[in-house]
Amino acid sequence: MSDQVKIQVMRSQLGRARGMGSAKSGTHHWWAERVTAIALIPLVIWFVFAVIHLAGQPQAAVQHWVAHPVNTVLLLALVAMTFHHMQLGLQVVMEDYIHAQQWQAIAILLNKAIALFLGLLCAVSILRMAFTA
Amino acid sequence: MKDVRDALMIGHRSDGSTVRRPLSPHLQVYRPQLTSVLSIANRLSGIAISVGTLLLVWWLVASAGSPKGFAAMQGFMGSWFGLLLLFLWTGALVYHFVGGLRHLAWDAGYGYDLPQVYASGYAALAATAVLTVAIWIVGLLVWG
């Protein structure tokens, strides 16, 4: 026996090199949450002013406003960032509070599906106004 | 013990007998503090505005749809209940926005000292109140 201390860890060399831990993923989720949050800072400020501007306006005026290319693009960006950020955030809440593994998996999939559905619904509505108004 | 994690909850009294202790942090044991309350408020406001996105969806779908549907949407948003929902939605959005700025500052490594955490916490509450009311004053002036 040598006097050198040997630490035995039941972990493959590949797993150690990847450094992902038991969650099997890295910092991508956390990072994407921050990136979408930063994108939403200017978009939300713009959106608040837009909603104030459009409050009580007739439908034709709203459609005309949405059809302006700058507004179309900013609205699409807002919707994409909002629903992506929402999906990421709600998933963390589900991972923290839903303990039964199968229900957690179902909730996370439903969360993704609903976020995608609502986001696409918004996007199609925006594009419809952009190309018909 | 049903779960191996329960083993972490076993503590010892001064006489050496075992006792089942709660894991920390345990909400029922901890006195609510500004830090913990604002932390969970960030989460709750995030959940609230997630539900509130349904108003955004309805607004966009109705605006792109029939005049009848648009009138129904505008009628609801202008009703006392619709305005109440929109007001609560604005408050939750502004708080989540300001709270998010605090989190981004922390992520960048700033504002961790306890006095700074409390200062930014009270500032977040004040900013939420002021900005929410300001948005609605301007909004109602434009709308009315």
Side-chain angles (χ1 to χ4, degrees):
Chain A
M1 286 286 280
S2 71
D3 56 350
Q4 201 183 354
V5 179
K6 257 193 160 179
I7 298 168
Q8 290 283 336
V9 180
M10 290 187 59
R11 190 174 190 189
S12 72
Q13 292 303 310
L14 181 63
R16 191 185 64 79
R18 281 182 176 150
M20 298 296 199
S22 62
K24 308 284 188 292
S25 76
T27 53
H28 176 259
H29 188 111
W30 183 90
W31 184 247
E33 211 171 71
R34 268 67 189 171
V35 170
T36 50
I38 292 167
L40 281 167
I41 294 171
L43 288 170
V44 165
I45 293 172
W46 167 80
F47 181 67
V48 168
F49 281 104
V51 169
I52 288 173
H53 169 67
L54 291 170
Q57 297 259 1
Q59 188 173 14
V62 176
Q63 291 177 340
H64 182 74
W65 181 87
V66 173
H68 190 287
V70 173
N71 296 333
T72 308
V73 169
L74 287 177
L75 269 179
L76 287 172
L78 174 83
V79 164
M81 291 301 116
T82 295
F83 286 101
H84 191 191
H85 187 78
M86 179 184 105
Q87 182 265 314
L88 292 165
L90 289 180
Q91 180 172 330
V92 176
V93 175
M94 290 162 176
E95 285 166 350
D96 283 352
Y97 299 125
I98 303 175
H99 299 303
Q101 211 171 17
Q102 66 275 34
W103 290 114
Q104 190 192 90
I106 289 168
I108 289 171
L109 286 176
L110 269 178
N111 175 39
K112 284 181 197 283
I114 292 169
L116 187 64
F117 175 77
L118 293 178
L120 287 174
L121 208 54
C122 287
V124 168
S125 299
I126 293 162
L127 291 173
R128 197 172 154 191
M129 284 187 267
F131 292 119
T132 58
Chain B
M1 276 193 280
K2 285 186 220 150
D3 197 307
V4 288
R5 282 171 294 189
D6 286 355
L8 296 169
M9 298 182 184
I10 303 300
H12 294 275
R13 292 194 188 88
S14 53
D15 64 4
S17 60
T18 55
V19 60
R20 192 174 184 277
R21 295 207 190 283
L23 285 171
S24 168
H26 219 261
L27 289 178
Q28 296 93 319
V29 182
Y30 271 69
R31 180 171 63 86
Q33 293 160 319
L34 187 72
T35 44
S36 61
V37 171
L38 292 190
S39 173
I40 197 67
N42 203 54
R43 218 161 230 210
L44 290 174
S45 61
I47 295 168
I49 48 178
S50 296
V51 178
T53 57
L54 290 173
L55 294 174
L56 170 72
V57 174
W58 191 18
W59 176 64
L60 286 169
V61 170
S63 296
S66 69
K68 206 178 157 188
F70 183 80
M73 181 275 296
Q74 218 168 30
F76 176 80
M77 300 284 190
S79 71
W80 71 266
F81 185 63
L83 288 172
L84 178 69
L85 280 183
L86 285 170
F87 183 78
L88 293 174
W89 188 54
T90 313
L93 179 68
V94 171
Y95 177 70
H96 198 77
F97 186 97
V98 178
L101 291 179
R102 285 177 87 211
H103 272 279
L104 288 173
W106 289 326
D107 293 339
Y110 299 105
Y112 276 109
D113 292 332
L114 209 49
Q116 288 176 314
V117 171
Y118 271 84
S120 67
Y122 284 119
L125 286 176
T128 302
V130 170
L131 287 173
T132 305
V133 171
I135 287 169
W136 274 77
I137 288 173
V138 176
L140 289 173
L141 284 175
V142 172
W143 186 48

